[in-house]
Amino acid sequence: MHEHFRYIVCRSRNQVAGMEKQYLKLVLVLYPFQGHINPMLQLASVLHSHGFSITICHPQFNSPDPSTHPHFEFIPLRAGFTPQNAFKSLTEFLKILNDKSRTPFMDTLVQIMGKEEQSACHVIYDGCMYFAAQVANELNLPSFVFHTFSAANLLRYLAYPHLRQEGLIPIQDSKLLEPVPDLDPLRFKDLFLVSNEDLDAWLNLLSSFCDIKSSSAMIFNTADLLEQQPLKILKEKFQVPIFSIGPIHKISPPIFSSLVEEDTSCISWLDMQTPNSVLYISLGSLNFLNDTELTEMAWGLANSKQPFLWVVPPEKLGGSRSLDSLPEGFEEAVGERSYLVKWAPQKKVLAHGAVGGFLSHCGWNSTLESIGEGVPMICRASYGDQKVNARYLSHVWRVGVELEKGLEREKIESAVRRLMRDEEGEGMRKRALDLKEMIRICVGDGGSSSESIAELVKLIMSSK
Ligand code: UDX
């Protein structure tokens, strides 16, 4: 370590004991996609409310708007990297993002630590930004990894090297419906895999991702009641404290962190609908339907005869709420029974009494936001952790109808009927409301997630 840095680090660490929280700076490293930005900024707000000073380091694309978080300092990492560069794969994208962000992050931390008034800083990083742990380690700073997905999803990643060794991946078609050893309730089809050519590079990347290096703790946006078993296994595997602090949006003060402007007009439309009658549809920030899927979805929804609020990606919804890209005859078929937006105030929508179901891609945030409001789901997972979440929704918590493979209008219509009108859906709604109540207890005073945050704060204060 450079001598000047060593001086700064030693000075910082000697001052940690007896230090006031506001002098302890938390540097949070953001992975710049909506599903990661939201929970990271919510965690930042919770920690800020505990008196810590917050700096957010982020790549120079999909940057959050600093004016909506005036209490935080935002520092872009000048890595000369944009997602517009052509990448062969997600694996390559993540690797280059991590490689290129290292030096600017090192420079940023050194600068922060060199400031006169600064006594110490700790790093909290999104698991996808694993370079931050290496840099913190080199500077001898405490670091904490924040996984914005579920504990079960990390278990899945951890299982891959063994499955590869046993010849179980690449997955054989004949095994798709079989259970994955030691990953109950997942089947092989619930394991998302990249293409075979990219497999080894991806497994390598995952090992960097799963290696917590010298991090002092792992933080999950989950609740004990949702993931008792996966959390127990992780606690046995890792020798560091594991904090389950979620759903963090239920603890954080309300914040605005959308990268896209929300169309709040849909709330007035929801006000006019009857309780539990509306199906809300959103496939998240990164899932897009091709033209055929869009047409099938449109007719499936139209034929279901259920009122619905649909988030249609901007490139599919030309102009201002124009229905140009939707099939001919759709508008007449649905009339006032539908409302389309480019981006919804999702948490408000799910909390609205008119919403009785959510057709979702099952991103972890959408999952937590839906069960946190007692709204049962139709699960249409595509990639990443979504299939794990869908499996938990449909088979563990039993609050979701699984929409298997292929988007065909008949399948959509039937799933909507099962969820919104059949007895089966009634049972799911009841269980979803039970989950909502249990989540309310977890995030309330003395609940497991609130206690976990209190423990995390204590650990941050005592980490040297
Ligand atoms: C991605 C992955 O897809 C997801 O599986 C992973 O867990 C996190 O990263 P994303 O696809 O964006 O996330 O889905 P999700 O995790 O559900 O996050 C989307 C966020 O955008 C949610 O917080 C949701 O409330 C918000 N949103 C979505 C809106 O505010 N309005 C919308 O119209 C749609």
Side-chain angles (χ1 to χ4, degrees), residues 39-65:
M40 186 60 98
L41 291 180
Q42 285 152 0
L43 175 63
S45 300
V46 168
L47 292 171
H48 183 262
S49 72
H50 280 266
F52 294 109
S53 137
I54 303 288
T55 297
I56 307 283
C57 285
H58 59 89
Q60 284 178 294
F61 58 95
N62 288 349
S63 306
D65 177 1

Side-chain angles (χ1 to χ4, degrees), residues 144-170:
F144 307 81
V145 56
F146 179 35
H147 287 305
T148 59
F149 47 66
S150 68
N153 187 54
L154 185 65
L155 278 184
R156 173 178 68 109
Y157 289 158
L158 291 167
Y160 282 148
H162 180 67
L163 294 173
R164 175 79 163 143
Q165 231 170 24
E166 297 289 304
L168 292 168
I169 53 177

Side-chain angles (χ1 to χ4, degrees), residues 58-214:
H58 59 89
Q60 284 178 294
F61 58 95
N62 288 349
S63 306
D65 177 1
S67 71
T68 52
H69 313 278
H71 307 304
F72 305 160
E73 178 187 20
F74 286 84
I75 304 184
L77 297 173
R78 301 188 189 285
F81 174 96
T82 71
Q84 276 76 44
N85 301 135
F87 294 106
K88 273 204 318 271
S89 60
L90 176 66
T91 315
E92 188 184 70
F93 167 79
L94 271 166
K95 181 154 180 353
I96 296 180
L97 174 65
N98 273 275
D99 289 350
K100 290 207 169 212
S101 302
R102 255 185 78 83
T103 306
F105 186 54
M106 171 75 86
D107 295 346
T108 301
L109 278 185
V110 167
Q111 225 173 16
I112 290 175
M113 287 154 50
K115 283 188 184 156
E116 281 285 302
E117 74 279 11
Q118 189 58 55
S119 54
C121 77
H122 292 15
V123 173
I124 299 180
Y125 63 99
D126 186 304
C128 294
M129 305 292 269
Y130 54 84
F131 72 88
Q134 296 160 353
V135 174
N137 192 20
E138 274 176 50
L139 293 178
N140 217 5
L141 295 175
S143 68
F144 307 81
V145 56
F146 179 35
H147 287 305
T148 59
F149 47 66
S150 68
N153 187 54
L154 185 65
L155 278 184
R156 173 178 68 109
Y157 289 158
L158 291 167
Y160 282 148
H162 180 67
L163 294 173
R164 175 79 163 143
Q165 231 170 24
E166 297 289 304
L168 292 168
I169 53 177
I171 303 167
Q172 294 151 28
D173 284 351
S174 60
K175 287 200 177 298
L176 285 175
L177 291 174
E178 288 182 19
V180 186
D182 301 326
L183 279 188
D184 183 54
L186 302 188
R187 303 154 299 178
F188 278 95
K189 65 183 287 196
D190 302 316
L191 302 180
F192 164 77
L193 285 180
V194 293
S195 68
N196 288 353
E197 309 85 74
D198 211 22
L199 190 57
D200 285 318
W202 190 61
L203 292 178
N204 265 339
L205 183 89
L206 279 185
S207 72
S208 302
F209 186 80
C210 294
D211 175 7
I212 62 161
K213 302 177 187 66
S214 57

